[in-house]
Amino acid sequence: MTDHNEKLTAKSIPHSVWPADWLRKAEKEAADSLGITLYELMLRAGEAAFKLAREYYPGTQHWLVMCGHGNNGGDGYVVARLAQAAGIAVTLIAQESDKPLPEEAEQARDAWLNAAGMIHAPEVTWPADVDLIIDGLLGTGLTSAPRENLAGLIEKINQHHAPVFALDIPSGLVAETGATPGSVVNANHTLTFIALKPGLLTGKARDVVGELHYHSLGLEAWLQGETAPIARFDSADLPRWLKPRKPASHKGSNGRLVIIGGDHGTAGAIRMTGEAALRAGAGLVRVLTRTENIAPLITARPELMVHELTAASLEESLEWADVIVIGPGLGQQEWGKKALRKVENSRKPMLWDADALNLLAINPDKRQNRVITPHPGEASRLLNCAVSQIESDRLLAADRLVKRYGGCVVLKGAGTVVISQDGECGLVDVGNAGMGSGGMGDVLSGIIGALLAQKLNPYDAACAGCVAHGAAADVLADKFGTRGMLASDLFSSLYLFVNPDLNTRNHD
């Protein structure tokens, strides 16, 4: 395997994401096309995992390797053999089964036994000095809760003080969806092989994957000949959406945006949406709201043009605007309903959020010119199902939403999903737990609305807006932590990401 050493270091995370079931079927085809056996792939996976685990935990002296009864376990046998050869004490525990091991996993087990390795039953007492756990129990084929005997092992892993390094995916995490239907390993690091799977990036993934690493095992050339159905987006993608402005651009060329909302007691929501739109580069932002909100909003942000929402001002503003945002603080009373009934007849690009979505759930319709940005609770109302159903398969939920409502859907949450009616699908790989506070969605609506006003198409505006929003929050989290982050705090770092050319220069 030494010929492949230069290939067996972990690579940066790719921007293509592949369905786990497709990948399992395609793996043999890929290996055959390159003249590689599945056992050779397993050896590469085990060597890559061993090298990375040793890199992150160089002082560890006793590894506990947990092997399941599939190819994930086969990877574990390879790791165990390499660790033992390097002078590390290894205790290997294997899941028992009546079924035979896959051929390549059996080869890996035999190589471990031939190297004088021992295999222990799951009920063995764990040595007291174990200082690293290698998780190779369950792989990407899991679709339901782990069986009771495996669940017990998983809980024991989670209760142990040693860090956990997961092979391909933490055991118990569903590779297709990111759901955790039962017990799941809480890993400190996960090294995934060949391609990214959706379940590593959305759902409960953020809670259990730890730091994610990737290795192609030498199949990158084959993958490049395929078109991934899902994209992973982070701040590195922003320059392709957000080009530097031309020197002669002016406020008119940067888009006119009208934002409608802010019923009694919700001026804060509409103010944050308005300021976010300005901070994201909209040329002119008009707010239509309650009379009582006008003075506070102008005082707080004088660059906003704030007017009372009336039939006349709404009609004139819909004619004036390039893009419409409705929903933040809109309420569900007649005041908001009347505005929404007028807005829904417009053919201009628009974004609906918050109470506009709650009203849409009552009177659903389908349109091409609209971005909707539901959180899981709003999505559950739009689809008339439980929040747990939304979270059990976020990609499926987003697909159902776009089929029912059209346009572009942003399903917010950890691992935000963006999907268009044309079949484009992206997972937004930025953001953090500090964003779990009021007003974050209002800010996002303003950012996406501003990008629509700057002539991005709905899907690109939604993706770029979500990335800039989450990346701005990540800067704050790195500096100040996640607890106590306010939605309006994002304005201090947002400029870095809506001006990616500046961000690039600052990091050169």
Side-chain angles (χ1 to χ4, degrees):
M1 287 187 292
T2 53
D3 290 343
H4 299 287
N5 277 350
E6 72 279 7
K7 300 178 182 177
L8 290 175
T9 54
K11 307 286 194 339
S12 59
I13 307 301
H15 286 254
S16 298
V17 184
W18 301 86
D21 57 350
W22 176 87
L23 189 60
R24 284 192 299 275
K25 296 172 186 174
E27 184 177 350
K28 187 176 189 313
E29 175 192 332
D32 288 346
S33 71
L34 297 174
I36 304 169
T37 66
L38 290 178
Y39 182 53
E40 171 64 18
L41 282 184
M42 185 170 285
L43 293 176
R44 293 183 183 188
E47 185 173 356
F50 167 70
K51 290 178 67 175
L52 193 64
R54 202 168 193 197
E55 177 184 332
Y56 276 90
Y57 300 104
T60 51
Q61 298 178 336
H62 194 153
W63 292 11
L64 178 68
V65 181
M66 311 292 289
C67 292
H69 205 73
N71 282 340
N72 197 243
D75 298 339
Y77 284 113
V78 178
V79 172
R81 180 172 54 80
L82 294 172
Q84 182 171 270
I88 298 168
V90 176
T91 298
L92 187 146
I93 294 174
Q95 173 197 3
E96 298 170 335
S97 175
D98 297 333
K99 298 179 180 179
L101 277 171
E103 180 182 351
E104 53 273 16
E106 187 174 1
Q107 288 179 268
R109 182 192 62 185
D110 291 346
W112 164 246
L113 292 172
N114 290 336
M118 295 182 62
I119 298 175
H120 298 278
E123 58 270 14
V124 71
T125 300
W126 293 11
D129 61 343
V130 164
D131 49 10
L132 181 65
I133 298 173
I134 305 295
D135 167 30
L137 282 174
L138 294 168
T140 60
L142 179 80
T143 57
S144 58
R147 295 191 299 275
E148 186 177 349
N149 60 332
L150 283 169
L153 283 175
I154 289 171
E155 294 305 324
K156 196 170 180 181
I157 290 171
N158 290 338
Q159 291 164 12
H160 201 274
H161 62 82
V164 179
F165 189 102
L167 304 177
D168 210 11
I169 192 167
S171 295
L173 181 66
V174 179
E176 204 66 68
T177 66
T180 54
S183 296
V184 59
V185 165
N186 294 319
N188 299 88
H189 293 268
T190 298
L191 174 59
T192 200
F193 305 120
I194 303 177
L196 280 187
K197 298 85 181 172
L200 293 166
L201 300 171
T202 193
K204 293 294 184 182
R206 291 286 186 91
D207 287 345
V208 300
V209 167
E211 186 173 348
L212 180 61
H213 310 270
Y214 162 77
H215 202 289
S216 71
L217 306 185
L219 300 186
E220 60 267 27
W222 175 78
L223 279 175
Q224 286 169 4
E226 303 288 329
T227 301
I230 305 167
R232 182 188 73 88
F233 295 127
D234 62 20
S235 58
D237 293 288
L238 288 170
R240 71 186 180 95
W241 293 312
L242 304 177
K243 306 298 183 185
R245 284 184 169 171
K246 294 180 179 178
S249 64
H250 53 83
K251 62 186 179 183
S253 59
N254 293 327
R256 298 188 298 269
L257 177 65
V258 63
I259 302 171
I260 303 156
D263 200 356
H264 298 302
T266 58
I270 203 74
R271 179 264 164 104
M272 285 187 285
T273 304
E275 180 161 355
L278 290 169
R279 299 287 186 179
L284 293 165
V285 179
R286 181 183 294 185
V287 173
L288 301 183
T289 187
R290 289 284 189 180
T291 306
E292 68 207 49
N293 298 334
I294 295 174
L297 263 62
I298 292 175
T299 302
R301 183 48 58 209
E303 295 87 349
L304 291 171
M305 300 179 290
V306 190
H307 304 274
E308 180 185 4
L309 173 60
T310 64
S313 68
L314 181 56
E315 185 170 353
E316 191 275 329
S317 295
L318 294 180
E319 181 66 27
W320 168 85
D322 298 313
V323 172
I324 304 153
V325 171
I326 186 166
L330 185 69
Q332 298 181 52
Q333 304 307 311
E334 189 58 26
W335 182 81
K337 290 178 179 178
K338 285 175 64 177
L340 191 62
R341 282 196 294 267
K342 183 70 174 175
V343 166
E344 66 186 5
N345 293 320
S346 176
R347 296 185 178 182
K348 292 182 177 180
M350 59 177 71
L351 180 146
W352 292 23
D353 187 27
D355 284 319
L357 299 179
N358 293 324
L359 293 172
L360 179 62
I362 298 169
N363 295 296
D365 67 9
K366 187 173 183 178
R367 59 184 61 245
Q368 298 179 353
N369 61 325
R370 179 177 58 199
V371 178
I372 62 172
T373 57
H375 57 57
E378 291 159 346
S380 73
R381 292 188 281 278
L382 288 165
L383 292 176
N384 192 28
C385 67
V387 173
S388 59
Q389 288 180 263
I390 301 294
E391 292 291 70
S392 68
D393 193 336
R394 289 169 51 79
L395 285 160
L396 177 61
D399 186 61
R400 289 178 61 201
L401 284 165
V402 82
K403 284 176 178 173
R404 181 173 296 188
Y405 294 99
C408 179
V409 171
V410 175
L411 179 56
K412 296 183 290 195
T416 289
V417 181
V418 184
I419 190 167
S420 78
Q421 61 190 1
D422 297 324
E424 301 159 297
C425 183
L427 290 170
V428 179
D429 193 22
V430 293
N432 59 79
M435 301 174 77
S437 62
M440 287 289 176
D442 302 317
V443 169
L444 178 62
S445 293
I447 296 171
I448 297 175
L451 298 180
L452 285 169
Q454 293 167 77
K455 304 298 189 291
L456 270 70
N457 70 55
Y459 179 74
D460 286 351
C463 291
C466 289
V467 170
H469 183 244
D474 287 343
V475 167
L476 297 174
D478 288 345
K479 190 171 183 179
F480 303 111
T482 57
R483 190 172 283 112
M485 186 186 298
L486 303 181
S488 56
D489 291 341
L490 270 61
F491 299 145
S492 66
S493 54
L494 181 60
Y495 74 94
L496 286 170
F497 300 99
V498 296
N499 296 288
D501 55 317
L502 172 66
N503 196 25
T504 301
R505 292 201 305 272
N506 286 345
H507 286 83
D508 282 345

